[in-house]
Amino acid sequence: MASSVSSQQDQVLVEAISSARILTLNRPKQLNAQTIQMISPLLELFLAFEKDPNVKLVILKGKGRAFSVGGDVAAVVRDIRADDWRVGANFFMKVYTLNYLMATYSKLQVSILNGIVMGGGAGASLHGRFCVATENTIFAMPETALGLFPDVAASYFLSRLPGFFGEYVGLTGSRLDGAEMLACGLATHFVPSVKLPMLEAALCDVDSSDPVIISSIIDQYCEQPSLKEQSVYNRLDVIDRCFSQKTVEEILSALEREVVHQMDGWISATIQTLKKASPTSLKISLRSIREGRLQGVGACLVRDYRMVCHVLQGELSKDFYEGCRAILLDKDKNPKWEPSKLELIADSTVDCYFSKVNNEEWEDLKLPTRAKFNLPPYAIAKL
């Protein structure tokens, strides 16, 4: 029996079918960009579902042509200008708490990524147990072009991709399709979009919380997609040679050496993408991903919160506000980064982003306590 508990204005639609709960992000005109009015109910619902013995499975999807393009950054900037940076900090605090809850959830989450999934959209999906990509999926972490960094514990999942593919994806904001997401491990399954209604119906009918059973049901609708000939995932050898370097400057030098040996348009485009991004963002993003390789999701999110508070505060750099102006507000696509060059950014400045914020009212992110005896092994592994 299905029941709906949502009104047309809600940014999250809720449908209850047997022991499954289907949550639909409902800002299709804004590509399901996340606001506090979306994140707050999601957080409350996930907490309530975890305590409810009648709920065994949570299905999360987006209405329209996007799962979610991430946080509504332009709205956050407007709110900050009207008030102060702590308004933005409160938004990210809730986002990161939701990310942590999803990563350590005691019940199964199936995220259906039938469209665009970027930034915070990845945080609301990839930390769950199952991620289903389709032929319509477009994934990216485009933060360095905005003067931000891949947050939402992206340093956890990017650093665990094969080789140094995560550094490449995080620094360049490169777009991946569904086949590439499956190949590199960001998605657990690939299902053609035409089969999604049947998959949803089958998941709602099963009445099980066993991940093996749920995975086997998704498998029944899966296909093995082929990578396109020009797929960036076919260039892992070059990516590993270049993006394994210790610093952003050395990564660029390695790419420039590759161009000398082989005239490859993709390498030249990658160099130009890096040179257009915020130098500060590139430096703090690389360090964040490298640190994430040795940390659990919780530690990654605590670090993300420190970093994002420094970014919002704007004392170390105002690149985030300049990036939002150039890309999202004025849309002249010509940001004036400051500092403008990698070599002008001292290691001590980068260190500051990873330190506590010097503000009497500021506190480190406090994540909810998770009882290990209640969690499945795949969730415990992320702690």
Side-chain angles (χ1 to χ4, degrees):
M1 182 177 175
S3 65
S4 176
V5 291
S6 305
S7 69
Q8 201 167 1
Q9 290 76 34
D10 285 342
Q11 293 192 16
V12 180
L13 305 179
V14 186
E15 192 176 4
I17 304 177
S18 184
S19 62
R21 298 295 181 270
I22 301 174
L23 304 181
T24 305
L25 307 182
N26 186 38
R27 295 185 77 209
K29 290 182 180 178
Q30 295 82 20
L31 301 178
N32 298 318
Q34 297 165 6
T35 63
I36 197 77
Q37 292 80 17
M38 180 184 285
I39 296 300
S40 294
L42 272 177
L43 188 53
E44 290 172 10
L45 287 163
F46 269 82
L47 287 168
F49 293 160
E50 191 164 47
K51 295 174 184 174
D52 188 343
N54 296 314
V55 178
K56 296 180 180 177
L57 175 70
V58 180
I59 298 171
L60 187 61
K61 61 181 183 177
K63 188 174 184 179
R65 63 189 184 93
F67 173 81
S68 172
V69 293
D72 192 338
V73 175
V76 170
V77 171
R78 284 194 296 270
D79 288 344
I80 291 170
R81 284 176 176 169
D83 199 338
D84 69 29
W85 66 271
R86 283 167 292 194
V87 175
N90 182 60
F91 169 75
F92 285 102
M93 180 186 295
K94 290 221 170 188
V95 169
Y96 298 165
T97 302
L98 177 64
N99 299 153
Y100 186 66
L101 185 61
M102 289 176 166
T104 59
Y105 209 50
S106 62
K107 299 186 178 182
L108 297 178
Q109 176 185 343
V110 178
S111 303
I112 298 177
L113 311 180
N114 186 34
I116 304 165
V117 53
M118 293 183 178
S125 55
L126 302 191
H127 291 303
R129 183 65 180 88
F130 299 111
C131 289
V132 178
T134 76
E135 76 281 2
N136 298 320
T137 305
I138 301 171
F139 166 88
M141 299 300 291
E143 289 83 0
T144 60
L146 278 175
L148 199 53
F149 62 94
D151 62 337
V152 297
S155 58
Y156 180 86
F157 58 75
L158 290 178
S159 64
R160 283 159 177 78
L161 299 185
F164 294 86
F165 194 60
E167 276 90 336
Y168 166 75
V169 170
L171 295 183
T172 65
S174 177
R175 295 187 173 194
L176 306 180
D177 62 22
E180 289 167 326
M181 285 190 76
L182 183 70
C184 75
L186 286 170
T188 58
H189 298 81
F190 182 98
V191 175
S193 59
V194 69
K195 294 184 179 181
L196 291 178
M198 292 182 288
L199 170 61
E200 279 189 42
L203 289 172
C204 292
D205 285 345
V206 70
D207 192 33
S208 174
S209 59
D210 186 335
V212 175
I213 292 174
I214 298 301
S215 185
S216 68
I217 287 172
I218 304 173
D219 286 342
Q220 293 172 27
Y221 300 90
C222 277
E223 288 185 6
Q224 185 64 42
S226 299
L227 290 173
K228 295 173 184 172
E229 187 178 342
Q230 294 301 313
S231 169
V232 68
Y233 202 64
N234 291 328
R235 301 175 183 272
L236 267 182
D237 55 341
V238 178
I239 287 171
D240 284 351
R241 277 199 301 274
C242 298
F243 285 83
S244 59
Q245 301 298 317
K246 188 177 179 182
T247 67
V248 181
E249 292 94 328
E250 289 169 337
I251 288 171
L252 274 166
S253 295
L255 285 164
E256 285 162 351
R257 286 196 298 272
E258 293 285 340
V259 168
V260 173
H261 295 304
Q262 51 178 319
M263 291 304 293
D264 188 327
W266 170 79
I267 297 175
S268 299
T270 301
I271 292 169
Q272 289 309 308
T273 297
L274 290 172
K275 288 184 174 180
K276 286 180 182 177
S278 158
T280 298
S281 290
L282 291 175
K283 287 212 167 189
I284 65 175
S285 298
L286 181 61
R287 176 165 163 183
S288 180
I289 294 167
R290 296 272 161 90
E291 289 194 4
R293 203 168 253 122
L294 303 173
Q295 294 176 326
V297 171
C300 290
L301 289 166
V302 170
R303 171 167 35 77
D304 283 347
Y305 186 66
R306 286 188 180 186
M307 293 170 70
V308 85
C309 284
H310 281 294
V311 167
L312 295 173
Q313 197 177 29
E315 290 185 2
L316 297 173
S317 168
K318 291 187 167 38
D319 276 5
F320 172 58
Y321 298 100
E322 173 60 11
C324 289
R325 181 206 64 75
I327 307 299
L328 301 176
L329 301 175
D330 297 345
K331 299 183 180 180
D332 59 48
K333 297 184 179 179
N334 188 29
K336 305 297 184 189
W337 306 123
E338 184 60 42
S340 60
K341 295 180 179 178
L342 290 164
E343 56 267 29
L344 298 176
I345 302 165
D347 290 344
S348 58
T349 301
V350 175
D351 292 342
C352 289
Y353 282 91
F354 295 78
S355 64
K356 293 186 176 186
V357 173
N358 186 18
N359 183 289
E360 287 183 4
E361 297 178 14
W362 185 89
E363 291 182 343
D364 262 327
L365 179 66
K366 289 182 171 57
L367 294 167
T369 302
R370 310 295 283 155
K372 285 189 178 182
F373 60 85
N374 283 334
L375 300 180
Y378 60 82
I380 293 173
K382 296 180 180 181
L383 291 172

